[in-house]
Amino acid sequence: MTTPQDYQGIPKDTVDKFHGNQLLYIGWEDHLMFCAPFAFPFPPAMRFGDIVSHVLPAAFGYHPDFAKIDWPAAQWFKSGQPFSPDFDRSLAENGLGHKDVIRFRTPGLTGIKGSFS
Amino acid sequence: MDTKTAGRKLGLKEKYAHMTRGLGWDTTYQPKEKVFPFEQMEGIKIHDWDKWEDPFRLTMDAYWKYQAEKERKLYAIIDAFAQNNGHLNVTDARYINVLKLFLTGVSPLEYMAHRGFAHVGRQFSGVGPRVACQMQALDELRHSQTQIHAISNYNKHYNGMHDFRHMHDRVWYLSVPKSFFDDAVSAGPFEFMVAIGFSFEYVLTNLLFVPFMSGAAYNGDMGTVTFGFSAQSDEARHMTLGLEVIKFILEQDPANLPIVQKWIDKWSWRGIRVLTLVAMMMDYMLPKRVMSWKESWEIYFEQNAGALFKDLARYGITVPECVTTATKEKDHLSHQAWSTFYQYGAAAAFHTWMPSPDEMDWLSAKYPDTFDKHYRPRFEYWREQEAAGNRFYNKTLPMLCQVCQIPMLFTEPDDPTKIAYRETQYKEDKYHFCSDHCQHIFEDEPEKYVQAWLPVHQIYQGNCFPEGTDPTAPDFDPLAAVLQWYHIEFGADNLAFEGSEDEKNFAMWRGMATQNS
Amino acid sequence: MSKVFIAFQLNDDTRSIIEAILADNPHAVLNEAPAMVKIDAEGSLTIHRSSIEALLGRDFDLQELHLNLISLSGNIDETDDEFTLAWAN
């Protein structure tokens, strides 16, 4: 019988299972109206700026703060550490791999009535 | 000669000895380790199974007698409830949504508990725990059946309950309770006993079955309160089994302590995470409230589990670290959970709504430190938007915790304005968690949790559409396809309570029940 | 000292049981909730078969408690005549 020590599982979410995409998680700091960060499947060659201009509006646009975002002033974090994405480069060129998590903070915007919602 | 002697009635202790130990036997033509192959696997050392004692000393004959009586009482009420259109006596039709969540999320777990106890009952070589596990396996089957019967009276009239078993294995939020139990039944027999018998039954089920079921009574649902309390009368015995098993294992060998402590830490947290659903049922889904989630936590966890851990200190058991986190979360849990279901209300098999101004005042009073500051502004904004025809439906899929499978909705224990993010690298991949405790559970058994069936990732892998769906077709609508695969009927089972078929039908039928026209 | 508790469904069967418990355990506190009662007691709580029988006016088997029991906490010691809940610390 296999002992618990030498038991091997087969990982369910390796990148090869996502039809050419990789997963990227994106959260908006100080805006808990969106209950959790989002998960997206993107091709690694996708331009980072296209995510900001074509994907984020549909995901976060319901919030009245979204239209007020000054994108050049936004602060980015990757796994919680400061991160400076190049909007003209791809995800892969920005060093973003499968299941990376990034967050952005929009200084001055603190949600509904300043409640971080 | 056949002289009839008046049989002396056996005392409780004597009868128990005959009906448990007296029924056991030793193996002869196979070695014991081959007959009970899982008993050694987890490193737990048992020297003398005869030291096991069931304090209730319940034997099979008494078990059948009392269970039969419980069933007769329960079914008399369920029948009366159905004959009397009892569903129209509930406070308001929003209440029925808790039953949808209960039937799809909890009742299938009762069935899994049946399978789990049948399995471990077979795997223990000691006779006492085998008999106790056998009874519990039968109890759990009874719970699952009586819940399905009782709630079927609602299924005749309301949406969202038509395919609970199919949904349990597929729907995103149901993966939370499902994976909890799958985790337990795929563990070894001793871990299963600590997980379900002790951590879940003893430490946590009171929070589900006692204040919540009393809430069902308060909301006029006689059918549910009766199955709830009937089930809970078995739980008292299960809790006792759970506590006895811990004491027994710890008394058998000092080397068992660190193993048991690790399981208690793990399963307390796994259970607390599952109870997130119960927190929101109590604070948001019961139109009339008996007590807040926070109050039930204080009574049934802080006070009761506090006493339990003090008692177990004599064995060297300490209060799990996760309790500190959970105690900080008691002021936030239900609000964060209900926010999540409200916004993902298009993908749920029950209806959601925003609390009324009165209900928000109740929440402010029960949560004076957190509700007005962190949640009221969000909820009032949503109410305004709803009134303006712009109800929030979040259509982007959330990031999930690898272990509890709940969307990453929990905030930092010491900062309710920041989502808690935790991650670890294991082999080729990154894994993400909602908390230190879920991360530790993963890191202790990564080969188990890398296999988690995370609903969001499964959707993106293309595994959650009806057979024959072409995701590359120009008119492909992923949400619609996923709901079809879930068997959730768009517009009937999901979306807002206001304007739902349930709301309209309940109002119409109640009108017919109280008027002649 | 920690508290033990026992909770019962509220019905005709349990009325005498609850009365007997409260009479035998003066330190116990009754908490009423919809459809149920919860009896809390510091340290320990003992249920005597004879007290219940006196109130019911019939024989009573302590295992009948299972019929209407909702929940309890504490270490159990049960004999034919007594049912005790207690914490060691």
Side-chain angles (χ1 to χ4, degrees):
Chain A
M1 189 172 33
T2 315
T3 66
Q5 288 70 39
D6 55 30
Y7 174 77
Q8 297 268 308
I10 298 166
K12 261 242 170 354
D13 295 322
T14 46
V15 69
D16 56 294
K17 301 189 173 68
F18 290 86
H19 312 282
N21 291 319
Q22 63 182 36
L23 292 180
L24 182 65
Y25 306 110
I26 306 178
W28 184 8
E29 294 289 271
D30 309 333
H31 290 78
L32 294 168
M33 181 188 286
F34 305 99
C35 62
F38 291 128
F40 298 99
F42 293 135
M46 186 165 180
R47 188 180 158 271
F48 191 88
D50 288 346
I51 293 174
V52 174
S53 51
H54 300 318
V55 178
L56 299 192
F60 292 109
Y62 183 84
H63 201 292
D65 278 355
F66 190 78
K68 301 180 204 157
I69 296 176
D70 173 13
W71 285 107
Q75 300 162 346
W76 293 85
F77 305 88
K78 181 186 165 197
S79 291
Q81 299 305 310
F83 169 63
S84 307
D86 183 336
F87 278 41
D88 284 322
R89 289 174 173 267
S90 70
L91 296 184
E93 288 162 347
N94 271 297
L96 293 171
H98 182 50
K99 293 171 78 181
D100 265 333
V101 59
I102 59 173
R103 298 180 239 177
F104 60 99
R105 205 179 147 257
T106 48
L109 301 178
T110 53
I112 306 297
K113 294 183 179 164
S115 69
F116 301 97
S117 267
Chain B
M1 294 297 287
D2 278 335
T3 320
K4 255 197 181 158
T5 48
R8 186 178 62 90
K9 198 169 168 258
L10 293 176
L12 197 57
K13 287 183 183 178
E14 260 178 311
K15 188 168 132 190
Y16 178 72
H18 282 300
M19 297 287 279
T20 54
R21 308 281 189 279
L23 296 175
W25 70 93
D26 291 325
T27 59
T28 49
Y29 56 91
Q30 286 288 342
K32 205 173 147 218
E33 310 81 69
K34 278 185 80 181
V35 179
F36 301 101
F38 298 138
E39 214 169 75
Q40 314 295 324
M41 183 178 83
E42 299 163 277
I44 291 288
K45 294 183 176 70
I46 302 295
H47 305 291
D48 183 4
W49 279 104
D50 281 342
K51 289 274 174 359
W52 173 278
E53 195 69 30
D54 171 9
F56 278 133
R57 301 196 177 84
L58 196 64
T59 52
M60 260 304 166
D61 56 330
Y63 174 81
W64 289 125
K65 180 175 141 196
Y66 292 121
Q67 295 304 96
E69 197 162 332
K70 285 184 193 175
E71 290 283 274
R72 276 194 297 273
K73 284 166 59 117
L74 172 60
Y75 277 90
I77 294 170
I78 292 177
D79 288 347
F81 179 86
Q83 289 159 4
N84 201 26
N85 276 325
H87 66 98
L88 294 177
N89 292 331
V90 301
T91 37
D92 81 55
R94 289 181 304 169
Y95 167 80
I96 295 159
N97 292 289
V98 297
L99 301 177
K100 301 176 189 180
L101 196 48
F102 197 97
L103 179 69
T104 54
V106 178
S107 303
L109 299 191
E110 303 273 17
Y111 182 71
M112 285 308 290
H114 154 69
R115 292 178 57 180
F117 280 100
H119 172 68
V120 299
R122 164 65 184 83
Q123 294 306 332
F124 287 138
S125 62
V127 187
R130 289 172 71 179
V131 170
C133 286
Q134 187 182 9
M135 288 177 193
Q136 183 158 352
L138 293 167
D139 292 338
E140 304 290 2
L141 187 59
R142 170 177 109 82
H143 298 176
S144 156
Q145 288 173 341
T146 54
Q147 287 164 20
I148 294 163
H149 283 159
I151 299 177
S152 71
N153 284 316
Y154 286 94
N155 177 47
K156 291 176 199 159
H157 307 286
Y158 304 97
N159 291 317
M161 291 173 266
H162 55 281
D163 217 349
F164 70 95
R165 195 61 196 76
H166 176 94
M167 288 180 187
H168 185 73
D169 290 337
R170 291 164 181 79
V171 176
W172 60 279
Y173 52 89
L174 298 176
S175 85
V176 174
K178 177 185 166 67
S179 62
F180 168 86
F181 236 96
D182 286 357
D183 190 351
V185 294
S186 54
F190 288 103
E191 183 178 348
F192 177 84
M193 284 304 295
V194 173
I196 304 305
F198 178 75
S199 294
F200 201 65
E201 298 278 354
Y202 207 102
V203 186
L204 301 166
T205 49
N206 273 326
L207 281 158
L208 173 61
F209 278 99
V210 186
F212 174 71
M213 288 303 167
S214 189
Y218 208 33
N219 283 279
D221 184 1
M222 205 33 75
T224 298
V225 67
T226 309
F227 83 62
F229 284 162
S230 187
Q232 191 65 23
S233 69
D234 299 341
E235 304 297 345
R237 183 156 31 78
H238 302 171
M239 289 159 64
T240 306
L241 173 62
L243 181 56
E244 284 310 302
V245 87
I246 289 278
K247 294 196 292 191
F248 172 72
I249 298 172
L250 293 171
E251 281 166 10
Q252 283 292 306
D253 199 297
N256 293 338
L257 174 63
I259 307 176
V260 170
Q261 179 76 53
K262 189 176 84 177
W263 288 337
I264 291 178
D265 293 351
K266 169 182 172 181
W267 288 98
S268 297
W269 185 246
R270 296 285 281 121
I272 285 167
R273 274 292 181 251
V274 171
L275 290 182
T276 304
L277 293 170
V278 183
M280 85 175 190
M281 285 157 83
M282 290 197 55
D283 283 343
Y284 286 88
M285 300 180 78
L286 294 179
K288 273 172 80 79
R289 286 128 201 201
V290 175
M291 61 170 77
S292 66
W293 165 256
K294 184 183 171 183
E295 289 164 321
S296 357
W297 175 265
E298 286 165 353
I299 294 172
Y300 290 102
F301 194 89
E302 291 177 15
Q303 200 184 99
N304 188 36
L308 167 69
F309 281 109
K310 238 165 90 186
D311 186 82
L312 292 175
R314 65 195 145 124
Y315 299 108
I317 290 288
T318 55
V319 178
E321 246 177 69
C322 68
V323 169
T324 314
T325 309
T327 301
K328 288 177 182 168
E329 286 182 347
K330 72 183 173 187
D331 270 310
H332 299 278
L333 201 62
S334 64
H335 318 304
Q336 295 178 349
W338 189 242
S339 286
T340 303
F341 279 95
Y342 177 81
Q343 65 193 263
Y344 285 110
F350 59 91
H351 300 301
T352 51
W353 56 87
M354 270 293 105
S356 67
D358 279 1
E359 289 168 332
M360 286 205 222
D361 290 345
W362 183 87
L363 291 162
S364 300
K366 293 293 183 186
Y367 295 94
D369 300 333
T370 54
F371 185 74
D372 286 352
K373 189 171 169 199
H374 300 290
Y375 304 102
R376 185 187 276 272
R378 185 187 313 173
F379 289 178
E380 287 181 346
Y381 180 78
W382 280 343
R383 274 186 75 89
E384 283 163 26
Q385 292 300 305
E386 213 176 290
N390 186 33
R391 191 207 190 274
F392 184 31
Y393 284 114
N394 192 339
K395 294 190 189 76
T396 312
L397 303 185
M399 175 182 185
L400 307 179
C401 172
Q402 185 76 24
V403 172
C404 68
Q405 308 200 2
I406 298 175
M408 296 265 293
L409 60 93
F410 302 99
T411 48
E412 287 289 351
D414 294 309
D415 185 354
T417 69
K418 295 240 174 287
I419 294 281
Y421 290 83
R422 301 290 183 272
E423 67 175 69
T424 199
Q425 178 84 28
Y426 180 69
K427 293 187 175 170
E428 307 301 307
D429 283 297
K430 284 199 167 69
Y431 295 90
H432 300 271
F433 315 97
C434 68
S435 56
D436 292 339
H437 315 295
C438 279
Q439 181 174 355
H440 294 158
I441 291 168
F442 177 92
E443 285 169 350
D444 194 54
E445 292 172 277
E447 291 293 335
K448 184 170 198 179
Y449 297 99
V450 297
Q451 303 172 67
W453 192 95
L454 297 180
V456 168
H457 295 176
Q458 288 300 312
I459 290 171
Y460 287 146
Q461 288 179 26
N463 298 332
C464 304
F465 307 129
E467 217 174 313
T469 303
D470 175 11
T472 61
D475 60 344
F476 175 65
D477 176 348
L479 174 67
V482 170
L483 291 186
Q484 278 170 24
W485 187 73
Y486 285 171
H487 291 187
I488 290 178
E489 188 89 31
F490 192 92
D493 300 332
N494 63 350
L495 306 182
F497 171 73
E498 296 84 1
S500 65
E501 211 170 44
D502 276 10
E503 184 193 33
K504 284 180 212 147
N505 284 338
F506 184 81
M508 179 175 74
W509 293 328
R510 179 115 95 178
M512 287 163 67
T514 53
Q515 290 153 30
N516 285 313
S517 56
Chain C
M1 196 57 117
S2 300
K3 276 183 186 167
V4 295
F5 81 78
I6 191 160
F8 291 103
Q9 294 186 52
L10 193 53
N11 58 34
D12 204 50
D13 293 340
T14 54
R15 224 183 308 279
S16 309
I17 299 172
I18 295 161
E19 202 183 323
I21 296 173
L22 293 175
D24 288 343
N25 297 272
H27 65 301
V29 178
L30 180 72
N31 287 300
E32 290 172 286
M36 60 171 277
V37 298
K38 179 168 175 272
I39 300 171
D40 295 298
E42 289 287 339
S44 72
L45 187 83
T46 298
I47 303 175
H48 300 277
R49 181 170 59 87
S50 56
S51 309
I52 296 174
E53 287 182 340
L55 284 168
L56 279 178
R58 66 165 174 87
D59 289 347
F60 185 81
D61 184 330
L62 283 175
Q63 290 197 327
E64 287 181 57
L65 290 174
H66 284 290
L67 291 173
N68 295 296
L69 190 58
I70 293 172
S71 184
L72 49 76
S73 80
N75 295 299
I76 295 166
D77 187 22
E78 186 176 0
T79 66
D80 291 293
D81 300 318
E82 277 180 11
F83 179 97
T84 298
L85 285 171
W87 287 123
N89 286 303

